[in-house]
Amino acid sequence: MLETLNNIRVVMPSEGGAGIQSALTSAATAGGGTVQLIPGTYTVSSQIVWPATGSKVWLRGVGAASIMDSTVTGNIYMLDVTASLSGGLS
């Protein structure tokens, strides 16, 4: 994860799903913020779990240029947002 500025955490494609999960957790711990995915393909090898209710965390990509490519197998979702609907995706 690149440096945090104004509660925005930027994740590089090379960090993959682990980087996304780390940035989401960091933002939630800080009381909220935005996780920004820059253009590229993010390989997700395990389920990403959304922070708890009230975390005020947002995950933003750059449209079709930010791709989450899942290697997760089995009957699970790549992104589990059931824990909180108070943040958002955009």
Side-chain angles (χ1 to χ4, degrees):
M1 177 173 50
L2 293 177
E3 184 175 330
T4 300
L5 179 65
N6 296 328
N7 283 336
I8 298 175
R9 289 148 180 83
V10 178
V11 181
M12 304 297 291
S14 61
E15 296 177 88
I20 295 169
Q21 184 68 71
S22 176
L24 288 171
T25 301
S26 174
T29 301
T34 300
V35 174
Q36 178 68 52
L37 305 181
I38 66 169
T41 299
Y42 297 78
T43 300
V44 178
S45 57
S46 62
Q47 188 176 47
I48 296 170
V49 180
W50 200 259
T53 300
S55 61
K56 300 177 186 171
V57 174
W58 293 86
L59 177 62
R60 294 183 187 229
V62 185
S66 297
I67 301 165
M68 293 173 67
D69 184 19
S70 176
T71 61
V72 176
T73 58
N75 192 20
I76 63 171
Y77 294 103
M78 178 173 47
L79 181 62
D80 178 6
V81 296
T82 57
S84 174
L85 298 176
S86 64
L89 304 171
S90 63

